[in-house]
Protein backbone atom coordinates (compact mmCIF):
# COMPACT_ATOMS: atom_id res chain seq x y z
CA UNK A 1 0.00 0.00 0.00
CA UNK A 2 1.22 3.52 -0.80
CA UNK A 3 3.04 5.12 2.13
CA UNK A 4 0.82 8.18 1.73
CA UNK A 5 -2.22 6.09 2.67
CA UNK A 6 -2.75 4.61 6.13
CA UNK A 7 -0.82 1.40 6.70
CA UNK A 8 -2.13 -1.96 7.73
CA UNK A 9 -1.44 -3.24 11.23
CA UNK A 10 -3.07 -1.15 13.96
CA UNK A 11 -5.83 -0.14 11.54
CA UNK A 12 -6.54 -3.67 10.29
CA UNK A 13 -9.82 -5.28 11.36
CA UNK A 14 -13.27 -3.67 11.56
CA UNK A 15 -13.58 -0.41 9.58
CA UNK A 16 -12.64 2.69 11.57
CA UNK A 17 -12.94 6.37 10.66
CA UNK A 18 -9.93 6.33 8.32
CA UNK A 19 -11.18 3.27 6.47
CA UNK A 20 -14.56 4.95 6.04
CA UNK A 21 -12.82 8.07 4.71
CA UNK A 22 -10.95 5.99 2.16
CA UNK A 23 -14.20 4.39 1.05
CA UNK A 24 -15.79 7.82 0.70
CA UNK A 25 -12.80 9.04 -1.33
CA UNK A 26 -13.13 6.03 -3.63
CA UNK A 27 -16.83 6.79 -4.14
CA UNK A 28 -16.04 10.41 -4.92
CA UNK A 29 -13.45 9.35 -7.48
CA UNK A 30 -15.97 7.03 -9.15
CA UNK A 31 -18.75 9.64 -9.40
CA UNK A 32 -19.71 10.66 -12.95
CA UNK A 33 -19.50 14.44 -12.59
CA UNK A 34 -20.74 15.11 -16.14
CA UNK A 35 -24.22 14.01 -15.08
CA UNK A 36 -24.46 16.74 -12.43
CA UNK A 37 -25.83 20.22 -13.02
CA UNK A 38 -23.56 23.28 -12.96
CA UNK A 39 -25.13 24.46 -9.69
CA UNK A 40 -24.45 21.13 -7.98
CA UNK A 41 -20.89 20.98 -9.28
CA UNK A 42 -20.14 24.51 -8.04
CA UNK A 43 -21.59 23.71 -4.61
CA UNK A 44 -19.55 20.50 -4.43
CA UNK A 45 -16.34 22.45 -5.02
CA UNK A 46 -17.10 24.71 -2.05
CA UNK A 47 -18.16 21.87 0.25
CA UNK A 48 -15.13 19.77 -0.66
CA UNK A 49 -12.79 22.67 0.09
CA UNK A 50 -14.34 23.11 3.53
CA UNK A 51 -14.07 19.38 4.21
CA UNK A 52 -10.44 19.33 3.10
CA UNK A 53 -9.66 22.17 5.52
CA UNK A 54 -11.43 20.31 8.33
CA UNK A 55 -9.44 17.19 7.54
CA UNK A 56 -6.24 19.24 7.49
CA UNK A 57 -7.18 20.48 10.95
CA UNK A 58 -7.65 16.92 12.15
CA UNK A 59 -4.34 15.94 10.55
CA UNK A 60 -2.55 18.75 12.41
CA UNK A 61 -4.28 17.70 15.64
CA UNK A 62 -3.07 14.13 15.31
CA UNK A 63 0.36 15.31 14.19
CA UNK A 64 0.61 17.39 17.36
CA UNK A 65 -0.23 14.28 19.39
CA UNK A 66 2.44 12.22 17.65
CA UNK A 67 4.93 15.04 18.18
CA UNK A 68 4.05 15.36 21.88
CA UNK A 69 4.52 11.62 22.48
CA UNK A 70 7.72 11.43 20.47
CA UNK A 71 6.00 8.80 18.31
CA UNK A 72 7.37 9.95 14.95
CA UNK A 73 8.87 6.86 13.34
CA UNK A 74 6.84 4.41 15.43
CA UNK A 75 5.02 3.24 12.28
CA UNK A 76 8.28 1.57 11.19
CA UNK A 77 9.70 1.00 14.67
CA UNK A 78 12.42 3.55 13.99
CA UNK A 79 13.87 6.50 15.84
CA UNK A 80 14.01 9.70 13.81
CA UNK A 81 15.72 13.03 14.41
CA UNK A 82 12.51 15.02 14.55
CA UNK A 83 8.86 15.04 13.60
CA UNK A 84 9.70 17.20 10.57
CA UNK A 85 12.33 14.68 9.43
CA UNK A 86 9.75 11.89 9.73
CA UNK A 87 7.28 13.85 7.59
CA UNK A 88 9.97 14.45 4.97
CA UNK A 89 10.84 10.78 4.78
CA UNK A 90 7.39 9.24 4.93
CA UNK A 91 5.29 11.81 3.06
CA UNK A 92 8.05 13.21 0.83
CA UNK A 93 7.39 16.75 2.02
CA UNK A 94 9.93 19.47 1.42
CA UNK A 95 12.00 20.60 4.39
CA UNK A 96 10.17 23.93 4.68
CA UNK A 97 6.70 22.39 4.42
CA UNK A 98 7.50 19.68 6.98
CA UNK A 99 8.90 22.16 9.49
CA UNK A 100 5.97 24.55 8.99
CA UNK A 101 3.46 21.71 9.51
CA UNK A 102 5.09 20.62 12.76
CA UNK A 103 5.26 24.19 14.08
CA UNK A 104 1.64 24.92 13.11
CA UNK A 105 0.47 21.71 14.79
CA UNK A 106 2.26 22.63 18.02
CA UNK A 107 0.95 26.23 18.02
CA UNK A 108 -2.65 25.16 17.45
CA UNK A 109 -2.93 22.03 19.57
CA UNK A 110 -0.12 22.34 22.11
CA UNK A 111 0.19 26.12 22.33
CA UNK A 112 -1.88 29.26 22.88
CA UNK A 113 -3.99 29.17 19.68
CA UNK A 114 -6.80 26.93 20.91
CA UNK A 115 -9.57 29.01 19.31
CA UNK A 116 -7.74 28.89 15.99
CA UNK A 117 -7.57 25.11 16.26
CA UNK A 118 -11.30 24.89 16.93
CA UNK A 119 -12.14 27.24 14.04
CA UNK A 120 -10.04 25.11 11.69
CA UNK A 121 -11.47 21.75 12.68
CA UNK A 122 -15.06 23.01 12.44
CA UNK A 123 -14.48 24.55 9.01
CA UNK A 124 -14.77 28.23 9.97
CA UNK A 125 -11.29 29.07 8.64
CA UNK A 126 -8.95 27.37 6.22
CA UNK A 127 -5.64 25.69 6.91
CA UNK A 128 -3.93 28.57 5.05
CA UNK A 129 -5.43 31.08 7.53
CA UNK A 130 -4.46 28.89 10.50
CA UNK A 131 -0.89 28.68 9.22
CA UNK A 132 -0.71 32.47 8.89
CA UNK A 133 -1.91 32.88 12.48
CA UNK A 134 0.52 30.27 13.79
CA UNK A 135 3.50 31.75 11.96
CA UNK A 136 2.59 35.38 12.63
CA UNK A 137 2.21 34.97 16.40
CA UNK A 138 5.13 32.57 16.86
CA UNK A 139 7.47 35.16 18.39
CA UNK A 140 4.83 36.81 20.59
CA UNK A 141 4.59 35.93 24.30
CA UNK A 142 1.87 33.31 24.84
CA UNK A 143 -0.33 35.64 26.87
CA UNK A 144 -0.32 38.28 24.12
CA UNK A 145 -1.14 35.70 21.45
CA UNK A 146 -4.00 34.34 23.58
CA UNK A 147 -5.39 37.85 24.21
CA UNK A 148 -5.31 38.76 20.52
CA UNK A 149 -6.56 35.41 19.23
CA UNK A 150 -10.34 36.12 19.29
CA UNK A 151 -9.88 39.21 17.11
CA UNK A 152 -7.48 37.37 14.80
CA UNK A 153 -9.81 34.41 14.35
CA UNK A 154 -12.67 36.77 13.50
CA UNK A 155 -10.41 38.53 10.98
CA UNK A 156 -9.40 35.16 9.52
CA UNK A 157 -13.04 34.35 8.85
CA UNK A 158 -13.41 37.52 6.75
CA UNK A 159 -10.04 38.20 5.11
CA UNK A 160 -7.81 36.34 2.69
CA UNK A 161 -4.39 35.16 3.99
CA UNK A 162 -2.34 38.11 2.60
CA UNK A 163 -4.61 40.70 4.26
CA UNK A 164 -4.69 38.63 7.45
CA UNK A 165 -0.89 38.70 7.42
CA UNK A 166 -0.99 42.50 7.35
CA UNK A 167 -3.38 42.54 10.33
CA UNK A 168 -0.93 40.39 12.29
CA UNK A 169 1.90 42.70 11.27
CA UNK A 170 -0.02 45.63 12.75
CA UNK A 171 -0.63 43.64 15.93
CA UNK A 172 3.07 42.88 16.26
CA UNK A 173 3.91 46.54 15.74
CA UNK A 174 1.57 47.57 18.56
CA UNK A 175 2.39 44.73 20.95
CA UNK A 176 6.15 44.62 20.43
CA UNK A 177 7.37 47.67 18.48
CA UNK A 178 11.06 46.97 19.12
CA UNK A 179 10.73 43.36 17.98
CA UNK A 180 8.68 44.39 14.94
CA UNK A 181 11.29 46.97 13.94
CA UNK A 182 14.06 44.39 14.29
CA UNK A 183 12.14 41.88 12.19
CA UNK A 184 11.43 44.53 9.53
CA UNK A 185 15.13 45.36 9.38
CA UNK A 186 16.00 41.66 8.98
CA UNK A 187 13.55 41.38 6.09
CA UNK A 188 14.98 44.56 4.55
CA UNK A 189 18.50 43.15 4.66
CA UNK A 190 17.37 39.94 2.93
CA UNK A 191 16.21 41.78 -0.19
CA UNK A 192 18.09 41.19 -3.40
CA UNK A 193 17.84 40.53 -7.11
CA UNK A 194 20.12 38.14 -8.93
CA UNK A 195 20.50 37.92 -12.72
CA UNK A 196 22.69 35.09 -13.96
CA UNK A 197 23.55 34.44 -17.63
CA UNK A 198 22.95 30.82 -18.61
CA UNK A 199 25.04 28.69 -20.96
CA UNK A 200 22.45 28.95 -23.74
CA UNK A 201 22.43 32.75 -23.75
CA UNK A 202 19.37 33.40 -21.56
CA UNK A 203 19.34 35.16 -18.19
CA UNK A 204 18.05 33.47 -15.02
CA UNK A 205 16.31 35.88 -12.62
CA UNK A 206 15.82 35.24 -8.92
CA UNK A 207 15.13 37.64 -6.10
CA UNK A 208 13.38 38.66 -2.93
CA UNK A 209 11.78 42.03 -2.17
CA UNK A 210 9.75 43.40 0.69
CA UNK A 211 5.97 43.28 0.65
CA UNK A 212 5.36 46.88 -0.44
CA UNK A 213 7.97 46.66 -3.18
CA UNK A 214 6.52 43.36 -4.35
CA UNK A 215 3.04 44.84 -4.58
CA UNK A 216 4.37 47.73 -6.68
CA UNK A 217 6.12 45.32 -9.05
CA UNK A 218 2.99 43.20 -9.38
CA UNK A 219 0.83 46.26 -10.01
CA UNK A 220 3.21 47.48 -12.73
CA UNK A 221 3.41 44.09 -14.46
CA UNK A 222 -0.27 43.13 -14.26
CA UNK A 223 -1.63 45.29 -17.12
CA UNK A 224 1.29 44.30 -19.36
CA UNK A 225 0.95 40.59 -18.56
CA UNK A 226 -2.67 40.18 -19.64
CA UNK A 227 -3.40 37.98 -22.67
CA UNK A 228 -3.50 40.11 -25.79
CA UNK A 229 -6.50 38.26 -27.25
CA UNK A 230 -8.12 34.85 -27.48
CA UNK A 231 -5.29 33.58 -29.67
CA UNK A 232 -2.62 34.40 -27.06
CA UNK A 233 -1.38 30.96 -26.00
CA UNK A 234 1.52 32.11 -23.83
CA UNK A 235 1.64 30.65 -20.34
CA UNK A 236 1.24 32.92 -17.32
CA UNK A 237 4.96 32.81 -16.59
CA UNK A 238 5.78 33.66 -20.21
CA UNK A 239 3.41 36.65 -20.14
CA UNK A 240 5.03 37.86 -16.92
CA UNK A 241 8.51 37.56 -18.44
CA UNK A 242 7.38 39.48 -21.52
CA UNK A 243 5.73 42.10 -19.29
CA UNK A 244 8.98 42.66 -17.38
CA UNK A 245 10.84 43.12 -20.67
CA UNK A 246 8.19 45.51 -21.97
CA UNK A 247 8.26 47.53 -18.74
CA UNK A 248 12.02 47.94 -19.01
CA UNK A 249 11.82 48.83 -22.72
CA UNK A 250 9.20 51.54 -22.16
CA UNK A 251 11.20 53.18 -19.38
CA UNK A 252 14.42 53.08 -21.34
CA UNK A 253 12.90 54.60 -24.46
CA UNK A 254 10.98 57.23 -22.50
CA UNK A 255 14.28 58.61 -21.18
CA UNK A 256 12.99 58.93 -17.64
CA UNK A 257 15.86 56.95 -16.13
CA UNK A 258 19.18 58.48 -14.99
CA UNK A 259 21.21 59.66 -18.00
CA UNK A 260 24.20 57.53 -17.00
CA UNK A 261 23.39 53.94 -17.81
CA UNK A 262 19.69 54.63 -18.03
CA UNK A 263 18.90 55.34 -21.69
CA UNK A 264 18.85 52.61 -24.31
CA UNK A 265 22.03 52.64 -26.46
CA UNK A 266 21.67 54.69 -29.65
CA UNK A 267 23.18 53.61 -32.97
CA UNK A 268 23.99 55.97 -35.85
CA UNK A 269 24.30 54.38 -39.29
CA UNK A 270 26.19 56.44 -41.91
CA UNK A 271 25.97 55.37 -45.56
CA UNK A 272 28.11 56.90 -48.32
CA UNK A 273 26.40 58.28 -51.47
CA UNK A 274 27.73 55.53 -53.77
CA UNK A 275 26.23 52.82 -51.58
CA UNK A 276 23.04 54.76 -51.09
CA UNK A 277 22.47 55.03 -54.85
CA UNK A 278 22.18 51.35 -55.48
CA UNK A 279 24.70 49.04 -53.92
CA UNK A 280 22.82 48.34 -50.67
CA UNK A 281 19.42 47.29 -51.96
CA UNK A 282 17.02 47.07 -49.05
CA UNK A 283 19.69 48.32 -46.63
CA UNK A 284 20.05 51.69 -48.39
CA UNK A 285 19.18 54.09 -45.58
CA UNK A 286 20.53 56.58 -43.12
CA UNK A 287 19.11 55.91 -39.68
CA UNK A 288 19.49 57.09 -36.11
CA UNK A 289 17.61 55.50 -33.24
CA UNK A 290 17.54 52.76 -30.62
CA UNK A 291 19.88 49.86 -31.24
CA UNK A 292 17.98 47.15 -33.14
CA UNK A 293 17.40 43.78 -31.55
CA UNK A 294 17.75 41.86 -34.86
CA UNK A 295 20.78 39.58 -35.19
CA UNK A 296 23.85 40.85 -37.03
CA UNK A 297 23.59 39.78 -40.70
CA UNK A 298 26.12 37.32 -42.09
CA UNK A 299 28.97 39.37 -43.51
CA UNK A 300 28.36 42.31 -41.18
CA UNK A 301 26.20 45.39 -41.16
CA UNK A 302 26.28 47.21 -44.57
CA UNK A 303 27.35 50.52 -43.10
CA UNK A 304 29.69 52.19 -40.62
CA UNK A 305 28.32 52.47 -37.11
CA UNK A 306 29.51 55.17 -34.85
Amino acid sequence: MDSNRHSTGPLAGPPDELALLEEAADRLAARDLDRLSDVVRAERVLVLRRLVDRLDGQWLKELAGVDARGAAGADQDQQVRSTAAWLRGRLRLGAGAATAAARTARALFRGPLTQTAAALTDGTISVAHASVLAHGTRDLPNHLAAEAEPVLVEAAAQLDPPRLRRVIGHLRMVADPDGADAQAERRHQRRGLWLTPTFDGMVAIDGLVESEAGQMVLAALEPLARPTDASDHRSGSQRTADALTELARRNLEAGRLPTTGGVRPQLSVVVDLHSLLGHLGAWAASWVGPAPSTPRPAGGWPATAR
Side-chain angles (χ1 to χ4, degrees), residues 5-257:
R5 296 162 72 95
H6 71 67
S7 60
T8 57
L11 298 180
D16 67 357
E17 298 92 342
L18 297 185
L20 293 174
L21 279 174
E22 282 199 323
E23 291 177 7
D26 290 338
R27 290 198 299 272
L28 282 170
R31 174 63 68 92
D32 183 3
L33 299 178
D34 290 335
R35 301 183 64 178
L36 303 177
S37 69
D38 290 347
V39 173
V40 171
R41 294 191 67 165
E43 290 176 345
R44 285 170 64 89
V45 167
L46 301 178
V47 171
L48 279 170
R49 181 67 258 175
R50 183 169 178 266
L51 289 173
V52 168
D53 285 323
R54 294 189 67 184
L55 286 174
D56 272 330
Q58 183 63 35
W59 182 75
L60 289 171
K61 178 181 179 180
E62 300 205 16
L63 176 62
V66 168
D67 182 67
R69 295 169 65 93
D75 55 308
Q76 294 185 322
D77 195 24
Q78 294 178 346
Q79 289 187 339
V80 294
R81 297 190 310 275
S82 65
T83 300
W86 175 63
L87 293 176
R88 292 199 302 272
R90 293 293 281 143
L91 299 181
R92 299 183 292 279
L93 295 183
T99 300
R103 286 177 174 171
T104 300
R106 293 177 194 132
L108 268 58
F109 297 98
R110 295 177 55 197
L113 301 182
T114 56
Q115 294 184 44
T116 304
L120 176 59
T121 53
D122 69 17
T124 302
I125 65 173
S126 73
V127 67
H129 291 89
S131 297
V132 168
L133 292 179
H135 178 78
T137 59
R138 186 176 65 189
D139 297 330
L140 289 177
N142 283 351
H143 72 279
L144 285 180
E147 289 177 10
E149 187 184 22
V151 175
L152 294 177
V153 170
E154 183 177 353
Q158 301 177 43
L159 303 176
D160 59 31
R163 286 189 290 175
L164 178 62
R165 197 174 288 112
R166 290 197 289 272
V167 170
I168 296 176
H170 179 70
L171 166 67
R172 295 176 63 89
M173 184 69 70
V174 173
D176 184 16
D178 293 336
D181 288 343
Q183 186 179 56
E185 179 60 25
R186 287 194 297 270
R187 287 197 302 268
H188 182 67
Q189 293 301 327
R190 290 174 60 200
R191 77 196 187 283
L193 185 67
W194 300 271
L195 295 89
T196 308
T198 65
F199 288 112
D200 59 354
M202 300 186 77
V203 177
I205 301 176
D206 189 17
L208 190 67
V209 296
E210 294 170 272
S211 177
E212 183 178 355
Q215 293 301 319
M216 285 192 289
V217 172
L218 291 173
L221 292 178
E222 192 275 333
L224 299 174
R226 296 170 185 162
T228 54
D229 51 41
S231 63
D232 188 347
H233 299 303
R234 294 175 298 166
S235 67
S237 58
Q238 289 172 335
R239 294 199 310 272
T240 301
D242 293 345
L244 180 62
T245 304
E246 177 66 11
L247 184 66
R249 184 190 67 79
R250 293 188 181 196
N251 278 276
L252 285 169
E253 293 188 348
R256 291 191 295 266
L257 297 176

Side-chain angles (χ1 to χ4, degrees), residues 262-285:
V263 178
R264 187 176 181 184
Q266 302 290 306
L267 181 68
S268 297
V269 179
V270 180
V271 183
D272 60 67
L273 180 62
H274 177 70
S275 298
L276 186 62
L277 290 177
H279 289 267
L280 286 180
W283 286 99

